[in-house]
Amino acid sequence: GKSTMLEALQCGIYPKAPGDGREFCVTSPEAAKIRAEDGRSVTAVDISSYISNLPFGKDTTCFTTQDASGSTSQASNIVEAMEVAPIWLLST
């Protein structure tokens, strides 16, 4: 399924033993895994490209929280990953 494929892609940056089948799954070292992390801390991240209307008028151009939701944490993870310039984003 999807999870098995994403796990294989995530591990595809590492060398594999020839003959075990995993050597056929290769991923660019420039890949980054993105996922939602409920409750994570986020400081001064511009998530406005992904989320623009939060409760209580919370600013998404400089988003800060000690307890991010799944959607705000995933948007933050995407922006933070893009700052280190990965070519590929893998999302669970």
Side-chain angles (χ1 to χ4, degrees):
K2 181 182 90 168
S3 297
T4 302
M5 178 61 124
L6 285 171
E7 186 176 326
L9 289 171
Q10 171 185 322
C11 296
I13 63 170
Y14 304 110
K16 309 294 184 301
D20 73 357
R22 296 180 303 159
E23 73 271 18
F24 298 112
C25 185
V26 179
T27 304
S28 170
E30 289 86 20
K33 179 182 177 185
I34 302 299
R35 66 183 197 136
E37 298 177 86
D38 286 332
R40 71 161 277 203
S41 175
V42 177
T43 305
V45 178
D46 182 356
I47 60 170
S48 62
S49 295
Y50 305 98
I51 299 171
S52 60
N53 191 7
L54 288 176
F56 310 110
K58 190 136 176 128
D59 183 19
T60 58
T61 61
C62 188
F63 182 71
T64 298
T65 184
Q66 294 299 312
D67 187 22
S69 68
S71 58
T72 57
S73 69
Q74 187 158 17
S76 298
N77 283 341
I78 291 169
V79 172
E80 291 166 345
M82 295 306 293
E83 289 176 356
V84 292
I87 294 173
W88 307 99
L89 294 178
L90 308 172
S91 178
T92 56

